[in-house]
Amino acid sequence: MNILLMMLRAPRPSCTDDMKAIAHPRWIKKGYDGLTFFGYIITHTQQEAEAFQRSGSFKNHEMIHLYQARACHDSWFLFYLRYGWYWLLASRYHKHLKNAGYLLNPFELEAYTNMFDIHYLDEKKSGTNEWRRYARMSLKERLNIYRNTRMS
């Protein structure tokens, strides 16, 4: 499917209850399992896409991003704009942590912290807001949280 068509035809996050996993190997960087893109989960291979549909924690991680987009005025564009802004800010910490832009991003911190809690999204129909707490923290505080959760 054409990228522009996916973006233009994407329903609002609140109109999406589930995200379909599809394979687009050139869209996703090696080392990453999945990518949320305007209501789809992008994977490397069709086998990974099928596994995502059955998986609990990885699918939950990507579904948390859907709910985060709902909290960003129910807009994929505003979600990605904020995501990019937080990624740029956190990228300054690349000396302390490889992929700091990704790993210290408030959206990713919330998703990684709660991906194993399958009931996390049950009561959050209008969106998740824990990422806002992470966004107010300094990068040093986020780095400490990241290190503490990785050690556990």
Side-chain angles (χ1 to χ4, degrees):
M1 191 182 290
N2 186 339
I3 295 173
L4 187 57
L5 284 177
M6 285 177 80
M7 292 168 55
L8 294 174
R9 291 183 177 170
R12 296 181 82 72
S14 63
C15 297
T16 305
D17 292 325
D18 193 20
M19 293 192 296
K20 180 181 178 186
I22 55 176
H24 280 290
R26 283 175 258 157
W27 287 24
I28 187 166
K29 192 175 169 183
K30 284 203 183 276
Y32 294 93
D33 295 318
L35 165 79
T36 298
F37 187 76
F38 287 89
Y40 291 93
I41 299 171
I42 309 298
T43 63
H44 294 281
T45 65
Q46 188 57 39
Q47 293 84 359
E48 289 177 356
E50 291 166 6
F52 246 95
Q53 291 303 118
R54 296 185 304 269
S55 167
S57 59
F58 289 121
K59 174 90 182 249
N60 198 38
H61 176 99
E62 299 303 331
M63 290 299 292
I64 289 171
H65 291 317
L66 168 66
Y67 282 70
Q68 290 167 337
R70 289 178 182 178
C72 292
H73 300 289
D74 199 24
S75 168
W76 287 112
F77 289 105
L78 290 176
F79 170 73
Y80 290 119
L81 188 65
R82 280 190 170 175
Y83 190 102
W85 174 250
Y86 292 135
W87 184 87
L88 283 172
L89 290 176
S91 291
R92 296 179 300 162
Y93 250 55
H94 67 78
K95 292 179 183 175
H96 302 282
L97 179 67
K98 185 180 175 188
N99 292 332
Y102 173 75
L103 296 171
L104 299 182
N105 190 311
F107 292 117
E108 294 301 338
L109 284 170
E110 179 181 22
Y112 276 110
T113 302
N114 298 294
M115 67 189 273
F116 296 106
D117 180 1
I118 59 170
H119 300 292
Y120 180 68
L121 298 173
D122 290 348
E123 301 297 321
K124 298 182 178 356
K125 299 297 178 210
S126 62
T128 61
N129 287 305
E130 192 175 326
W131 61 271
R132 293 177 195 272
R133 182 174 58 88
Y134 291 121
R136 287 189 297 269
M137 293 178 179
S138 69
L139 289 172
K140 188 173 184 176
E141 290 173 307
R142 288 189 229 163
L143 180 62
N144 288 334
I145 288 173
Y146 170 78
R147 287 182 174 157
N148 290 337
T149 56
R150 293 299 259 190
M151 302 297 178
S152 323

